[in-house]
Amino acid sequence: MEAKNNNDFSDTTKDYTDSTGSRFRLNFEFTPREDLKVFFQPQFTKVWGQQELNLTSATPTASASDSSGALNDTGLDVHQAFMKYSAADGLDFTLGRSELIYGDELVIGAVGWSNVGRAFDLAMASWTCDHGKFDFFTANLVDANISTSGSGEKEFSGIYFTAKTSGMLTAADLYVLQLDDATTAPHSAVTSYGGRAKASHEGADLRIEVTAQNSQNNGSQFDAEAGYMVLPSSKVRAAVEYFQSSADYAQLFPTAHKWLGIADLFGRRNIKGYRAGLSGSPYADLTLKLDYHVFQRTDVNAQAYALNGTSGYGTIGDDSAIANEWDLVAIYKVNDQLNLEAGYAQASPDDYLKANSKNDSASFYYLQVATQF
Ligand SMILES: [Ca+2]
Ligand SMILES: [Ca+2]
């Protein structure tokens, strides 16, 4: 269940929303041969009470009708379905529809938070060697000439190298990604070059990810976090994060909910600032997380952007300070299979948003029950 108010930072225009949803995923895995795997993951996802098309009607109409308490079921879809063939030791080919999850999902993630989540129609070759794993993939995002002649495809391709690490270094990745869109005129392309590293030593941890982009306008982002286990007995960890992205950074396919505040008000574009966080387990089954975010514009001549990275909050003024946000999340483990989770966020506008007539605080909360087995 989630509720949002004032995503527009204004009490004047009413935009309160709340809804309850559910998501069920069942994993089917078949191994017809030792070197061949078939993975099939149907997904039933539903916002309770949402009207849906009645596809079983003898005369389906374009308008939606009641789907709860009515003779109209909700459709079942498929989130992932792929085959994986191991051609040789360390060499795998994946074909079909699959999630892509890399690193901390800052650039490519599956958005587990979403009631649907993100998957790609793709072909991938993976090669594992002594130094790590190379993934070569190409995903078809939009095909504009399926049944008639058209402009072509929008594609996302990449080479992602995940190094084998040891000692203090716990992760090291390098990647080159290409987002190529032939469905628009003129044809657009963004090439991203990035690296990521994580290290930990005696209760201290460090994470850095840097991405640079070649496109019509050069974009870049930098995200670094340092943490320290203040009280190991209760897993109390204090952390600070600094982030900066340029006005032309294309955020690609992140699990955005993980970043820049759980209220999901801001996208990684023309934003900089920091987060100070404290997390810990006062009781063995209870985890609490508290975060404070400060958001500023990197370039005061460009807008601050909403989560999707395209709609902006306005162009008035030359103030840098966008907003600050408090996030509190509590996770209670009932047993090995059952988790309860609750979260609350409050974001208060600062000088830039106020200059653009966005004067009131935004709030968000959610309650979640999850089982995995
Ligand atoms: Ca409002
Ligand atoms: Ca085509």
Side-chain angles (χ1 to χ4, degrees):
M1 183 270 164
E2 54 182 276
K4 291 176 187 180
N5 194 29
N6 278 351
N7 263 17
D8 59 355
F9 293 101
S10 161
D11 280 334
T12 317
T13 316
K14 298 301 172 199
D15 64 342
Y16 173 83
T17 58
D18 67 29
S19 61
T20 305
S22 51
R23 182 181 85 188
F24 291 81
R25 288 177 179 171
L26 291 175
N27 299 353
F28 294 85
E29 198 175 308
F30 306 92
T31 314
R33 285 166 53 97
E34 206 174 86
D35 55 2
L36 186 64
K37 185 178 107 175
V38 174
F39 183 76
F40 188 70
Q41 185 186 54
Q43 171 168 269
F44 169 71
T45 179
K46 181 79 196 280
V47 177
W48 294 7
Q50 187 168 48
Q51 292 191 321
E52 305 227 353
L53 293 179
N54 188 346
L55 298 173
T56 55
S57 154
T59 51
T61 57
S63 60
S65 56
D66 291 0
S67 63
S68 176
L71 302 181
N72 179 19
D73 269 342
T74 310
L76 181 70
D77 213 325
V78 175
H79 184 60
Q80 296 187 87
F82 59 84
M83 54 180 278
K84 187 172 177 178
Y85 175 60
S86 300
D89 203 21
L91 181 64
D92 298 324
F93 293 96
T94 304
L95 293 171
R97 181 171 177 80
S98 172
E99 292 185 338
L100 287 178
I101 296 174
Y102 286 109
D104 295 291
E105 304 185 48
L106 191 143
V107 177
I108 309 172
V111 202
W113 167 257
S114 158
N115 219 31
V116 179
R118 179 189 290 134
F120 294 85
D121 300 331
L122 60 76
M124 180 186 293
S126 299
W127 179 52
T128 307
C129 64
D130 291 344
H131 305 292
K133 184 171 174 242
F134 289 88
D135 281 347
F136 304 84
F137 66 84
T138 181
N140 192 332
L141 307 185
V142 179
D143 193 330
N145 59 2
I146 295 172
S147 53
T148 54
S149 176
S151 51
E153 279 86 41
K154 181 177 182 183
E155 288 170 326
F156 179 53
S157 310
I159 304 171
Y160 199 102
F161 173 63
T162 310
K164 229 174 235 169
T165 55
S166 60
M168 281 164 51
L169 189 66
T170 55
D173 305 354
L174 285 173
Y175 52 83
V176 181
L177 308 167
Q178 172 88 1
L179 181 62
D180 198 82
D181 192 355
T183 64
T184 57
H187 173 155
S188 71
V190 180
T191 310
S192 306
Y193 307 89
R196 167 180 169 266
K198 275 177 121 163
S200 67
H201 183 62
E202 292 181 356
D205 61 87
L206 186 68
R207 171 183 68 75
I208 293 172
E209 182 152 2
V210 183
T211 316
Q213 294 178 330
N214 281 345
S215 54
Q216 284 95 332
N217 306 300
N218 291 336
S220 66
Q221 76 79 25
F222 174 80
D223 193 298
E225 178 177 353
Y228 185 70
M229 202 64 86
V230 185
L231 193 66
S233 59
S234 297
K235 293 179 188 159
V236 177
R237 176 178 174 267
V240 283
E241 178 186 0
Y242 177 78
F243 48 87
Q244 179 167 342
S245 59
S246 68
D248 297 311
Y249 178 70
Q251 60 183 341
L252 298 176
F253 304 95
T255 295
H257 182 73
K258 270 188 76 179
W259 308 97
L260 309 176
I262 62 167
D264 287 337
L265 294 165
F266 304 104
R268 194 179 293 274
R269 182 178 174 190
N270 197 28
I271 199 162
K272 66 175 183 177
Y274 66 87
R275 170 178 71 89
L278 205 57
S279 59
S281 299
Y283 305 99
D285 299 328
L286 180 68
T287 302
L288 298 174
K289 298 177 192 172
L290 179 68
D291 286 300
Y292 177 69
H293 305 256
V294 169
F295 302 113
Q296 299 166 333
R297 286 193 289 174
T298 308
D299 178 353
V300 295
N301 296 310
Q303 303 188 76
Y305 290 91
L307 189 75
N308 61 14
T310 50
S311 49
Y313 283 107
T315 52
I316 301 167
D318 56 4
D319 295 300
S320 168
I322 304 170
N324 61 67
E325 178 177 327
W326 283 99
D327 292 346
L328 178 64
V329 172
I331 302 162
Y332 177 64
K333 189 175 160 182
V334 180
N335 55 47
D336 284 347
Q337 281 75 38
L338 198 61
N339 269 346
L340 302 179
E341 188 171 326
Y344 179 78
Q346 174 134 359
S348 306
D350 215 324
D351 292 344
Y352 157 73
L353 287 177
K354 287 177 182 168
N356 287 276
S357 308
K358 300 175 193 328
N359 293 300
D360 303 302
S361 291
S363 61
F364 164 69
Y365 75 86
Y366 72 91
L367 301 167
Q368 182 178 287
V369 186
T371 177
Q372 268 186 310
F373 52 90

